Amino acid sequence: MGRALRAGLLILCGCGATPREPTRDAGAVGAAEGLGFSGSIAWDDGARISEVELAPSRVPPGAMMTIRWTVADAGDGGSARVRVRTPRSVARQVVFPGGARPQPLTADPRDRASEPLAFTEGRHELALELPAPWHPETAIITLERDGATAREGPRLDDGAAVLAIAPVEARPTAVTAARARAITIDGALDEDVWQRPGHALGQSLDGEPYPGPDEAGEPTLVWFAWTEEALLVAGRLPDVDLWSEYSAQDDPLYRQEAFEVFVAGDNSGARYLEYQVSARGVTFDARFPRYRKGDEAWDSSFATAVALRGTVNDDRDRDVGWDVEVAIPWTELCQETAVPCPPRAGQSLRVNVFRLERPGRTGSLGLSLSPTRTPDFHAWANAAVLELAP
């Protein structure tokens, strides 16, 4: 097993190294090209896997990929599963075990496993779907066997063999706004349109889930809907300490805790609007004719309301969270952005939703609907695509 494969796996698992082109040797994976392991993987029962191939070289989220491999000396074989794993779950394993025991594998809801396969000798081929959304830059393809453990070649501490690394094509989160009748903007998410599954906000830079699968707590969820008059956004924000010291319109809510909505007609970074709400119901709004060239003196006609599950600024209790509803008039969107009017079913626009949270009133946490991939909430290249449903 060559040094190049080891380096490539650690880089793509997000372990903090600086990405670089690995040196090629006899056992290397061409990670940048999405190739499979070119050496031989041995199992403790004598079976071997070789000639691993992966196509295409870069996989879009939601698309199919094909993995091929050859099995020799399978004996009775038994059954196996091929699994698509996130770098986050793989990073919790030790690819080359030795020394201290690694952390146990934590299930990641994005991981996917094939149906059981017969582990028999010969050439095998399997089509796998990469889930969508999928924001990690890579997907790790592993094969695990019932009653057998990989002992030579790239492997995880749970006994699975690492067959390949698939580079993933960056795609923004795609969401849908449900058609709705007029609703009351009161912060109570009791209308039917808010009973659908919500979209979880992930970490703003890379889209990783927050909280993660091994952490306590509930995710922050958002919903979208629309009427002929307005674009509607709702959020449910778990929070054990409701806190905001700002009390006046256009106070800098972003310096403490806030729910933010950005809307534009495209992802050019020009002509977009920003709306913010705090748990106290205080609002901030600004229009941006150009990227980051904002007009904070501009006043929106948007409506918003919050419903608290706790008390704001009381550190003697433990809160549950807060809900928020926002209604943005189409007339405003069409005047200040490239969004066309009147709105129609099938129409798309670009949006992003952010949550600013200060754990312990001192820490800093940023969550987003679609990751910015750069430390800038005004970045539009990967902003979510919102489609208006019939």
Side-chain angles (χ1 to χ4, degrees):
M1 227 308 299
R3 185 185 317 174
L5 174 60
R6 188 176 341 201
L9 283 171
L10 291 177
I11 290 170
L12 291 168
C13 287
C15 300
T18 301
R20 61 184 182 275
E21 179 67 19
T23 304
R24 301 305 176 98
D25 63 21
V29 165
E33 294 80 24
L35 301 180
F37 178 54
S38 62
S40 179
I41 301 171
W43 300 81
D44 56 6
D45 62 356
R48 305 189 76 86
I49 287 179
S50 61
E51 300 177 304
V52 180
E53 297 177 354
L54 178 68
S57 60
R58 185 170 294 274
V59 187
M64 301 299 294
M65 53 186 165
T66 302
I67 181 88
R68 302 179 183 91
W69 68 96
T70 298
V71 176
D73 302 323
D76 293 335
S79 63
R81 288 180 185 268
V82 175
R83 193 179 298 271
V84 181
R85 284 174 162 170
T86 62
R88 187 182 209 185
S89 63
V90 170
R92 293 180 177 274
Q93 299 295 299
V94 172
V95 179
F96 298 90
R101 295 291 298 173
Q103 300 180 53
L105 179 68
T106 301
D108 191 304
R110 295 168 294 175
D111 292 354
R112 296 290 187 273
S114 71
E115 295 295 325
L117 308 168
F119 190 80
T120 57
E121 295 188 11
R123 190 68 173 162
H124 296 262
E125 179 177 307
L126 180 66
L128 299 166
E129 181 179 10
L130 182 67
W134 184 282
H135 294 301
E137 295 181 355
T138 57
I140 315 300
I141 315 301
T142 65
L143 185 145
E144 57 197 49
R145 295 177 57 199
D146 293 337
T149 300
R151 62 178 177 83
E152 292 181 11
R155 60 199 185 276
L156 305 184
D157 193 62
D158 62 2
V162 178
L163 298 184
I165 299 172
V168 176
E169 183 178 314
R171 289 284 179 88
T173 301
V175 294
T176 301
R179 188 66 180 266
R181 297 178 179 179
I183 67 172
T184 302
I185 303 300
D186 57 6
L189 307 187
D190 51 6
E191 289 87 0
D192 289 343
V193 73
W194 307 138
Q195 306 313 308
R196 302 169 300 129
H199 302 280
L201 301 192
Q203 297 186 58
S204 61
L205 188 62
D206 58 13
E208 284 297 306
Y210 184 87
D214 58 338
E215 298 166 310
E218 298 295 326
T220 298
L221 299 176
V222 297
W223 295 261
F224 296 89
W226 70 286
T227 66
E228 292 183 357
E229 291 75 31
L231 174 66
L232 308 172
V233 187
R236 173 154 290 165
L237 293 72
D239 195 341
V240 298
D241 181 23
L242 299 176
W243 173 65
S244 178
E245 296 174 330
Y246 295 116
S247 58
Q249 159 70 14
D250 280 345
D251 273 352
L253 306 181
Y254 47 85
R255 294 180 181 173
Q256 293 185 350
E257 298 185 346
F259 179 80
E260 299 188 356
V261 180
F262 284 72
V263 187
D266 54 40
N267 67 341
S268 66
R271 300 190 66 201
Y272 60 95
L273 299 176
E274 178 183 1
Y275 305 88
Q276 297 185 18
V277 188
S278 75
R280 296 180 68 172
V282 178
T283 61
F284 170 97
D285 46 39
R287 62 179 173 182
F288 292 82
R290 291 183 295 161
Y291 169 71
R292 279 197 168 275
K293 300 298 182 180
D295 176 9
E296 295 184 13
W298 171 78
D299 287 327
S300 167
S301 57
F302 80 125
T304 185
V306 301
L308 305 181
R309 289 171 281 132
T311 53
V312 179
N313 296 339
D314 186 347
D315 58 8
R316 296 169 300 176
D317 64 354
R318 183 179 178 86
D319 303 315
V320 176
W322 57 293
D323 298 340
V324 57
E325 289 178 309
V326 176
I328 306 170
W330 288 113
T331 52
E332 181 171 293
L333 291 174
C334 297
Q335 179 178 346
E336 303 293 347
T337 77
V339 173
C341 276
R344 66 187 187 281
Q347 178 177 329
S348 293
L349 53 155
R350 303 304 287 264
V351 302
N352 219 339
V353 176
F354 298 96
R355 178 184 181 181
L356 295 169
E357 172 69 6
R358 300 285 183 180
R361 306 189 183 184
T362 57
S364 180
L365 173 67
L367 305 178
S368 67
L369 175 63
S370 192
T372 59
R373 301 192 180 281
T374 184
D376 179 9
F377 281 12
H378 291 249
W380 281 96
N382 200 56
V385 178
L386 174 64
E387 181 176 330
L388 306 185

